[in-house]
Amino acid sequence: SRVLDSLRAKLKDALRQTGRAGEAADGIDLAFCIFNTKSSQMQYAGAFRPLIIVRNNEIIEYKADKMPCGVYINESPRFTNNIIDLQSGDVLYMYSDGIADQFSGGPDLRKFTIRRLKELLIEIHSEPFKQQKLLIGKTIDDWRKPPSGIGKQSAQVDDILLIGLRVK
């Protein structure tokens, strides 16, 4: 959390952000982790970006603070620092909003949603990461296609980033 607090202060200074009406409200959404391999603990802090752990085929979600690194109307003075005890076999995921916000193909333009992403991660988490990458890519590509082959494939609307780590 101290890294995010410091980053927010430096970003606000660099962008000359004071929180006054009319100025740019640029910021960064991110998840940040520090691992201690000796104690099998990690620290996590998030600016609008959560952490998901798949453990024993179940999702454990660590919610992010609802504020970016940067100026924000309802910002808290500090980001929350979560200390997490890791277990062998845990699979950790951090991701951008681009996956959940991806529109489907065809006329209805539904979003992929975090719920679908979580279901997919539970389904594939035990696969090697190379295989997970292929499965996620295919799932998103299929999602973007029109359901009956009629209509247009939706464009990728945002960055898509997903990072996974497996605890040994």
Side-chain angles (χ1 to χ4, degrees), residues 26-156:
D26 294 323
I28 300 170
D29 299 351
L30 68 115
F32 188 82
C33 295
I34 298 174
F35 297 90
N36 183 328
T37 55
K38 291 179 182 167
S39 69
S40 294
Q41 283 188 326
M42 68 177 276
Q43 294 181 54
Y44 153 76
F48 277 128
R49 301 301 340 129
L51 168 73
I52 289 177
I53 298 176
V54 181
R55 178 183 291 160
N56 300 322
N57 293 314
E58 292 185 10
I59 293 280
I60 302 168
E61 182 175 12
Y62 289 86
K63 303 267 186 198
D65 287 306
K66 293 184 179 186
M67 58 184 177
C69 281
V71 74
Y72 191 65
I73 294 170
N74 296 319
E75 75 182 43
S76 298
R78 300 207 179 287
F79 284 93
T80 305
N81 196 55
N82 298 274
I83 298 174
I84 302 164
D85 293 316
L86 299 173
Q87 296 179 12
S88 179
D90 284 352
V91 185
L92 291 62
Y93 295 99
M94 294 174 285
Y95 54 93
S96 68
D97 59 355
I99 293 175
D101 290 347
Q102 180 58 56
F103 288 109
S104 63
D108 62 349
L109 296 178
R110 295 174 295 134
K111 287 189 176 185
F112 190 73
T113 72
I114 291 172
R115 180 186 56 80
R116 281 188 185 89
L117 176 60
K118 288 177 183 178
E119 290 169 358
L120 178 60
L121 294 177
I122 286 174
E123 187 179 316
I124 68 170
H125 77 279
S126 60
E127 298 290 338
F129 284 118
K130 276 189 175 182
Q131 185 66 21
Q132 287 187 42
K133 179 182 177 182
L134 295 172
L135 291 168
I136 292 167
K138 181 177 181 341
T139 300
I140 295 299
D141 286 346
D142 289 349
W143 179 255
R144 292 176 47 215
K145 292 178 184 172
S148 60
I150 299 169
K152 290 180 128 184
Q153 177 171 327
S154 68
Q156 182 174 324

